[in-house]
């Protein structure tokens, strides 16, 4: 195709497998994660010719998390290729997590042949309805039936990623169609703009914020691409800023207006209840952000969200702005005058103190980590106690996306494969995975992926002998701990067996030196820290 850098079709046209790869290439895809199988070989035939790098994780769930990490690091869709049946089900948990956290991931799989009987024949990897299974966890599961529909489906997926709330899409191509030839060209990117909130509501919001005596801002993951106007507006208003876990780092956490990212702390709810105007940007205001109760109600709530329907969920706003976060914030700024006094300092001090008390078990390690990492480093956290009780509130993030965490769906095993995706997307940045020994074992095989790709990846794992959070919940419920105390394998030996290194750490003072070595070692390094129960 002229001007695209994509090879043209031969005289006989392209197979659907080649058409898919050409469609990915014209949309700028240069890296995919996946595992080849009997039914998807026609896709793999063409990847190298179109300049698309392929990374092979050791499990399809790892492919999904790696694509998720790549997408969060770049803002571009992550792509995963799997085969039929069990492979597709393996990636489903990762797709569910991407849906929960609004991450653009495209999963491509073969499907049963075009004229395969509905009741099945016992064919290899046969499922009754792959599309129904994936529709339960993805925004859309689309089975194509022609070359023309395939070309359109790829373009539609990327167009929707660009303008809608980004959520995962599954594309299914019948395995017989993959090898059939058609004279169809891929459809290139469609020039589109994200929606902008209605001018009247923007003016109303600006007036309310300008008149506020105690304004506040709550920034979610949807605000990460709006860091500059968000900071500018916060400074003009003197507004303290809370963030969700996915919004952590949107305002650098050393900024005097950055209050906390740990919304479950008591002071965060009290801060919100004290606001006469609260602006919530790019957040569902979800129960999982606040953990134990819905967000308290400020006197007046303004919400900005890309998805209009979301504005009717969880916390109904007094002023609703349906539009792109950055464009809408810039528009609001036009109606907000210069700097105002701020009451953020005492709230910031109070919340910082609460966070450090909650994180006391891990605090020396987290402080050593904070002192050792670059400002633009990315910490990819698993659903581990050290993450949500510790790093969320007590490990500062200085850039948008500096802390990545699987909220909502709350999967385990996210950190290592997602960190691989981040590091491959941003090789110039320091990337660290943070996990517990229970969650690590869900995807520990991906250390072999990092080793094969020579990815410098420190993995800090806190060892508490199993599932520490559930153990604590059992005790709180008056249940003797049951099925949560697990023997810890030789983690250093396991890391070595998978092509990496294992470094036991006796004390936080050991961390800086071990971390410095791990950040330049061409492969994964498991940094093994003891944890008091």
């Amino acid at each position: 195709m002229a001007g695209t850098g994509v090879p043209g079709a031969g005289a006989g046209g392209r197979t659907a497998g080649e058409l898919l790869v050409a469609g990915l290439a014209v949309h700028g895809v240069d890296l995919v994660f996946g595992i080849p199988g009997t039914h998807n070989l026609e896709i793999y035939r063409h990847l190298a010719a179109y300049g698309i790098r392929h990374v092979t994780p050791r499990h399809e769930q790892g492919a999904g998390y790696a694509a998720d990490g790549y997408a969060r690091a770049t803002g571009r869709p992550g792509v995963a290729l799997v085969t039929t049946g069990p492979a597709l089900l393996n990636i489903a948990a990762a797709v569910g997590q991407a849906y929960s956290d609004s991450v653009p991931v495209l999963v491509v799989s073969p499907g049963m042949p075009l004229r395969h009987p509905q009741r099945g024949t016992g064919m290899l990897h046969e499922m009754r309805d792959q599309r129904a299974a994936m529709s339960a966890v993805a925004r859309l599961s689309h089975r194509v039936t022609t070359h023309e529909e395939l070309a359109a489906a790829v373009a539609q997926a990327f167009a929707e990623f660009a303008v809608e709330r980004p959520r995962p899409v599954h594309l299914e191509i019948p395995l017989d169609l993959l090898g059939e030839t058609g004279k169809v060209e891929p459809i290139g990117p469609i020039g589109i703009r994200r929606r902008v909130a209605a001018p009247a509501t923007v003016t109303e919001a600006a007036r309310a914020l300008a008149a506020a005596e105690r304004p506040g801002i709550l920034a979610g993951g949807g605000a990460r691409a709006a860091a500059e106007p968000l900071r500018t507006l916060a400074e003009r208003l003197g507004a303290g800023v809370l963030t969700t876990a996915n919004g952590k780092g949107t305002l650098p956490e050393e900024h005097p207006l950055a209050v906390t990212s740990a919304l479950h702390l008591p002071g965060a709810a009290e801060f919100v209840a004290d606001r006469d105007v609260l602006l919530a940007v790019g957040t569902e205001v979800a129960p999982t952000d606040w953990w134990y109760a819905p967000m308290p109600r400020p006197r007046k709530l303004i919400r900005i969200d890309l998805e209009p329907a979301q504005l009717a969920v969880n916390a109904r706003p007094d002023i609703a702005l349906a539009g792109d976060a950055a464009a809408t914030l810039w528009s609001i700024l036009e109606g907000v005058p210069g700097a105002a006094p701020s009451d953020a300092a005492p709230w910031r001090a109070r919340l910082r103190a609460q966070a450090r008390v909650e994180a006391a078990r891990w605090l020396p390690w987290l402080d050593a980590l904070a002192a050792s990492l670059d400002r633009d480093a990315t910490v990819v956290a698993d659903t581990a106690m050290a993450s949500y009780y510790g790093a969320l509130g007590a490990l500062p993030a200085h850039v948008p996306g500096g802390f990545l965490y699987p909220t909502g769906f709350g999967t385990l095993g996210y950190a290592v494969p997602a960190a691989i995706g981040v590091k491959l997307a941003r090789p110039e940045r320091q990337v660290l995975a943070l996990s517990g020994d229970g969650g690590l074992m869900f995807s520990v095989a991906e250390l072999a992926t990092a080793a094969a790709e020579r990815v410098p990846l420190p993995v800090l794992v806190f060892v508490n002998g199993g599932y520490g959070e559930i153990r604590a919940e059992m005790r709180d419920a008056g249940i003797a701990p049951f099925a949560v105390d697990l023997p810890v394998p030789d983690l250093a030996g396991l890391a070595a067996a998978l092509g990496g290194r294992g470094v036991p750490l006796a004390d936080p003072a050991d961390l800086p030196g071990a971390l410095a070595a791990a950040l330049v070692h061409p492969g994964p390094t498991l940094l093994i820290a003891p944890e008091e129960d």
Side-chain angles (χ1 to χ4, degrees):
M1 293 181 65
T4 66
V6 173
R14 292 185 174 91
T15 64
E18 183 180 1
L19 180 61
L20 166 73
V21 175
L24 296 178
V26 298
H27 284 90
V29 174
D30 57 6
L31 173 64
V32 298
F33 303 89
I35 298 178
T38 300
H39 289 162
N40 64 9
L41 298 182
E42 189 57 40
I43 298 173
Y44 277 82
R45 182 193 301 275
H46 302 286
L47 291 173
Y50 283 82
I52 297 178
R53 179 183 178 186
H54 181 274
V55 171
T56 308
R58 299 309 188 259
H59 189 279
E60 287 88 2
Q61 195 171 132
Y65 293 142
D68 177 299
Y70 176 93
R72 296 194 201 209
T74 62
R76 303 194 304 272
V79 179
L81 304 177
V82 298
T83 194
T84 38
L88 189 61
L89 292 181
N90 281 346
I91 205 172
V95 172
Q97 187 61 63
Y99 183 94
S100 181
D101 284 347
S102 302
V103 180
V105 171
L106 177 63
V107 175
V108 181
S109 79
M112 291 295 102
L114 283 167
R115 288 166 289 281
H116 191 70
Q118 176 68 30
R119 288 179 174 267
T121 63
M123 188 174 183
L124 178 67
H125 300 331
E126 182 181 85
M127 280 179 62
R128 286 191 296 165
D129 195 339
Q130 287 192 156
R131 201 172 83 180
M134 295 305 292
S135 292
V137 290
R139 183 178 60 79
L140 172 70
S141 181
H142 186 170
R143 176 178 166 91
V144 302
T145 57
T146 65
H147 287 71
E148 291 81 4
E149 187 181 7
L150 172 58
V154 173
Q156 287 170 332
F158 280 88
E160 288 165 351
F161 287 144
V163 297
E164 303 292 341
R165 181 177 181 177
R167 279 178 155 162
V169 170
H170 167 234
L171 182 60
E172 177 181 299
I173 310 171
L175 63 92
D176 53 348
L177 185 66
L178 278 172
E180 290 182 5
T181 301
K183 293 187 176 181
V184 176
E185 292 293 323
I187 299 172
I190 299 168
I192 43 184
R193 292 178 56 190
R194 287 192 169 189
R195 63 176 63 92
V196 178
T201 55
V202 169
T203 299
E204 184 183 5
R207 287 173 178 167
L209 288 165
E213 295 179 1
R214 296 182 310 283
I217 295 175
L218 171 63
R224 288 210 304 256
E228 184 180 355
L230 187 136
R231 176 188 53 77
T232 304
L233 181 60
E235 290 172 348
R236 285 195 192 175
L237 295 171
V241 177
L242 305 178
T243 74
T244 67
N246 282 330
K248 185 176 170 71
T250 300
L251 183 68
E253 292 188 296
E254 76 273 16
H255 194 288
L257 294 175
V259 176
T260 190
S261 300
L263 300 183
H264 63 279
L265 295 174
E270 293 163 6
F271 174 83
V272 169
D274 185 63
R275 299 301 91 187
D276 57 347
V277 180
L278 180 75
L279 173 64
V281 185
T283 171
E284 294 176 301
V285 197
T288 47
D289 292 325
W290 301 87
W291 287 20
Y292 305 115
M295 183 186 79
R297 187 80 191 182
R299 184 181 301 173
K300 179 173 285 188
L301 176 63
I302 304 170
R303 289 184 65 182
I304 301 173
D305 202 283
L306 187 62
E307 184 177 34
Q310 185 61 44
L311 295 167
V313 179
N314 292 329
R316 297 187 65 181
D318 300 287
I319 304 173
L321 299 100
D324 175 75
T328 304
L329 287 171
W330 284 122
S331 296
I332 288 174
L333 276 163
E334 294 177 6
V336 175
S342 174
D343 69 344
W347 289 103
R348 172 183 167 86
R350 182 179 176 188
L351 268 295
R352 288 291 191 275
Q354 289 181 4
R356 290 182 72 82
V357 168
E358 183 177 66
R361 185 191 303 184
W362 307 275
L363 198 55
W365 298 93
L366 296 174
D367 285 346
L369 199 59
S372 302
L373 290 172
D374 290 346
R375 278 183 51 82
D376 65 352
T378 299
V379 173
V380 185
D382 209 359
T383 306
M385 298 175 78
S387 302
Y388 46 79
Y389 291 130
L392 180 59
L395 181 66
H398 306 290
V399 294
F403 181 82
L404 302 181
Y405 177 70
T407 60
F409 206 51
T411 189
L412 282 166
Y414 175 83
V416 171
I420 292 170
V422 174
K423 186 63 178 177
L424 290 172
R426 293 282 182 257
E428 76 285 358
R429 290 191 179 181
Q430 295 178 343
V431 179
L432 175 135
L434 177 63
S435 185
D437 59 297
L440 176 71
M441 296 304 294
F442 277 61
S443 58
V444 71
E446 301 309 341
L447 294 179
T449 307
E453 297 296 326
R454 298 178 63 81
V455 173
L457 182 64
V459 180
L460 178 58
V461 55
F462 288 96
V463 179
N464 61 17
Y467 303 127
E469 173 65 24
I470 309 306
R471 183 189 298 132
E473 290 181 10
M474 284 180 166
R475 288 171 176 164
D476 290 344
I479 303 170
F482 181 79
V484 292
D485 297 312
L486 305 177
V488 180
D490 175 4
L491 293 176
L494 180 57
L498 292 169
R501 302 185 307 155
V503 180
L505 305 174
D507 185 270
D510 300 334
L511 180 58
L515 178 61
L519 287 167
V520 297
H521 175 71
T525 302
L526 205 55
L527 304 173
I528 306 160
E531 179 180 324
E532 298 291 335
D533 185 9

